[in-house]
Amino acid sequence: MNVLALDTCFPALSVAVGSNLASPRARVLSRTEPMATGHAERLLPLIDELLDEARLAVADIDRVVVTVGPGSFTGTRIGIAAARAFKLARNMALVPITSLEAIALSPLIAAAPGEDVVVAVDAHRGEAYVQVFDAAACQTLGAPRILALSDFASLQRGRPLLAIGTAALAVTEAINASGGEARAQSDMIFPDMAAAAIWAATREPATAPIEPLYLRPPDAKPQEGKSLERAGA
Amino acid sequence: MDRRNPVSVNVPPPGSPLIVLGIETSCDETAAAVVERSADGGGLILANVVRSQWDEHRRYGGVVPEIAARAHVSCLDILIAEALSISGKGLSDLSAVAATAGPGLVGGLVIGMVTGKTLAMAAGRPFLAINHLEAHALTVGLTDGLRPPYLLLLVSGGHTQLLLVRGVGQYERLGTTIDDALGEAFDKTAKLLGLPQPGGPAVERMAAGGDPRRFDFPRPLAGRAQAHFSFAGLKTAVRRRAMDLVPLSDVDIADLCASFQAAAMDAVADRVGRAMEIAEDRLGADASRRLVVAGGVAANKALRTRLADLVAGRGYTLHVPPAGLCTDNGAMIAWAGAERLALGQVDDLTAKARPRWPLDENAPPAIGAGVKA
């Protein structure tokens, strides 16, 4: 199976191409390019470069795994728009993965035996996007959610936690201050799309259109009336 | 690896018939269309689907960019599939994929462009990044077979411009608004008077039953040498008179709408008349006496009537695309793409969204103009 993996949720662009996955000839090529903006300009050329290196054509790709957020709203939509267009063009199967789970798949995460992993990414306004994983079993322990700083301590449910991501230190401090046990691995870890490609090869594809996971409503307030008074109103 | 031409695409040979998919996501309409351009330059719409997001924005009193972007990404691929299905064409039948690159709301532009680039790459076809204003400017080629040169009045919620269209890609701005766009003036007047949005049609409906002579509102910039527009002063004059009358009766509202619309149309006609003189000057002996109106406000019947009077007196013909092709749509994007492709122009997959993208990049700023000019 050949899998294309895309992540555009954070200030980096990550693309991976896995060929012959779930076979002895499996091979994964991946590239992560840090960038604050410009994902929409670089995404397709980078996909093309990796396909070329893998000696694959677009038509050879069987499925696309894409991070659906949480993350930058605009960034998240870029990957989803591309994935949905690939499906439309070539009827490829789509496999959604949360951006936090794609981070948790990184082999750079060094959890100790008995530790759970919490991926916590700064969402600004005193909040973080968080998701907890059982590192040993490679399983999620709940859906991603948005959590206020004052609620960070509630993340611990018994086992010691290894916190990853841009809000890892704040989470660790909150947990330790409330008598819990947590440590932070503060390296910057982006979603690992090479790992996500391998992960996606054995997952069930989505049956409904994939949608961004924003976790926050759009910033908009219903407008107050600015109209003049009408007779009899 | 050094790859100067990163994505291989099949560019059709000159003179072939072209079939182009057009994608439009620059504001609050998600749209996709398939258009065919014959070898002799004739146009045919094979499919044209538009989904308005107005219901999602209504309670906010205007378009909310983040809400627009969320709606675009959730339905664009579905609309494209529908357009392809209606047209009876598959991706492999397309000559190119065109998407609006600007001007507009960047969140929406990015979705249309990434979708278009991905489809182009998957189909091995060229991608075209289209200027939304250019698409409005060229629509009469699709609907009326009209070729440049012609004088264009582009009127929408965000733009009010007079352009001399000399050819595809050749635009000279003769005039622009120094403050509000015409559509914006209608919307703000509607809001002031408590009429529903979108304000243009609402004001027009009320005006039909009102007295256009009850209030003598100013005709901004009338008689000036340059063909610029201004509507802020007119808007303020309407507000002042309306505030004197509060509480407003239905008759007051109808008369305010009618008087406002009459003043706005007089001002437009005066400015277009001036632009005709400038265009004739620039084109010289082969001046084609054709006035094209495009953009959402072109649907306004009072505007059409007023301009019909103007052209009759000046020996011009008036060309207005049907209403559905004056508001935002994918067919005009596909057509602009086909016109550019016919000239051998394509863009690459690194093309950037351009939230601000004037048609005439060499036009000097209008004196006293704000950022919109």
Side-chain angles (χ1 to χ4, degrees), chain B residues 110-167:
Chain B
V110 162
I111 292 160
M113 289 186 77
V114 168
T115 301
K117 288 174 180 180
T118 306
L119 294 175
M121 179 180 167
R125 296 292 188 272
F127 173 71
L128 290 134
I130 302 298
N131 183 312
H132 180 94
L133 304 177
E134 175 169 47
H136 276 305
L138 299 178
T139 299
V140 281
L142 171 64
T143 56
D144 297 23
L146 196 73
R147 318 297 304 180
Y150 45 78
L151 177 64
L152 170 73
L153 171 66
L154 182 61
V155 275
S156 68
H159 298 275
T160 300
Q161 297 192 355
L162 280 158
L163 293 143
L164 176 54
V165 179
R166 286 185 184 267

Side-chain angles (χ1 to χ4, degrees), chain B:
Chain B
M1 195 191 311
D2 182 21
R3 302 207 312 143
R4 287 199 172 73
N5 181 18
V7 180
S8 62
V9 295
N10 301 310
V11 178
S16 11
L18 304 171
I19 298 175
V20 177
L21 170 68
I23 295 169
E24 158 62 32
T25 55
S26 67
C27 191
D28 62 338
E29 247 107 22
T30 316
V34 181
V35 164
E36 185 168 357
R37 183 188 186 280
S38 60
D40 66 2
L44 182 65
I45 297 173
L46 304 180
N48 186 28
V49 285
V50 182
R51 180 188 175 277
S52 168
Q53 304 173 357
W54 183 247
D55 285 343
E56 284 116 299
H57 297 282
R58 187 187 302 276
R59 57 194 287 254
Y60 302 101
V63 176
V64 181
E66 177 62 19
I67 291 176
R70 290 184 180 198
H72 286 308
V73 79
S74 291
C75 70
L76 177 59
D77 57 342
I78 297 164
L79 288 184
I80 293 171
E82 195 182 331
L84 287 169
S85 161
I86 292 169
S87 73
K89 303 292 179 188
L91 272 187
S92 57
D93 299 316
L94 300 178
S95 315
V97 178
T100 305
L105 300 172
V106 70
L109 294 170
V110 162
I111 292 160
M113 289 186 77
V114 168
T115 301
K117 288 174 180 180
T118 306
L119 294 175
M121 179 180 167
R125 296 292 188 272
F127 173 71
L128 290 134
I130 302 298
N131 183 312
H132 180 94
L133 304 177
E134 175 169 47
H136 276 305
L138 299 178
T139 299
V140 281
L142 171 64
T143 56
D144 297 23
L146 196 73
R147 318 297 304 180
Y150 45 78
L151 177 64
L152 170 73
L153 171 66
L154 182 61
V155 275
S156 68
H159 298 275
T160 300
Q161 297 192 355
L162 280 158
L163 293 143
L164 176 54
V165 179
R166 286 185 184 267
V168 175
Q170 297 174 280
Y171 311 98
E172 287 170 31
R173 196 193 73 194
L174 306 183
T176 186
T177 179
I178 61 173
D179 41 57
D180 290 347
L182 180 58
E184 203 175 353
F186 271 83
D187 286 344
K188 287 177 177 173
T189 298
K191 204 169 277 181
L192 173 78
L193 301 177
L195 302 177
Q197 296 288 321
V203 170
E204 188 181 2
R205 267 195 309 276
M206 290 302 290
D211 175 4
R213 285 172 302 274
R214 176 164 163 204
F215 306 104
D216 185 21
F217 291 132
R219 273 63 173 158
L221 300 187
R224 299 289 178 90
Q226 288 186 310
H228 294 319
F229 299 87
S230 166
F231 296 104
L234 171 58
K235 180 187 69 188
T236 306
V238 174
R239 168 174 284 276
R240 289 225 176 96
R241 288 300 285 129
M243 285 171 74
D244 293 343
L245 297 170
V246 166
L248 300 172
S249 70
D250 287 350
V251 171
D252 291 336
I253 290 172
D255 291 349
L256 284 164
C257 285
S259 301
F260 158 78
Q261 184 170 269
M265 294 313 156
D266 279 354
V268 169
D270 179 86
R271 312 289 58 221
V272 173
R274 180 65 197 118
M276 286 171 166
E277 292 158 14
I278 300 172
E280 287 156 22
D281 231 34
R282 293 206 188 166
L283 287 172
D286 38 312
S288 65
R289 293 176 171 257
R290 298 178 301 188
L291 173 67
V292 172
V293 188
V297 186
N300 181 293
K301 287 197 188 64
L303 177 68
R304 291 190 190 213
T305 308
R306 193 70 184 77
L307 291 176
D309 290 347
L310 175 72
V311 299
R314 302 253 189 161
Y316 272 63
T317 51
L318 179 65
H319 305 265
V320 190
L325 296 174
C326 281
T327 48
D328 291 352
N329 66 88
M332 68 175 191
I333 304 302
W335 176 250
E339 289 281 79
R340 289 192 47 212
L341 187 61
L343 295 173
Q345 300 174 4
V346 296
D347 294 294
D348 68 37
L349 299 181
T350 61
K352 259 178 98 84
R354 297 183 62 178
R356 293 195 181 285
W357 189 2
L359 262 190
D360 178 357
E361 310 209 32
N362 301 317
I367 304 290
V371 291
K372 287 169 196 154

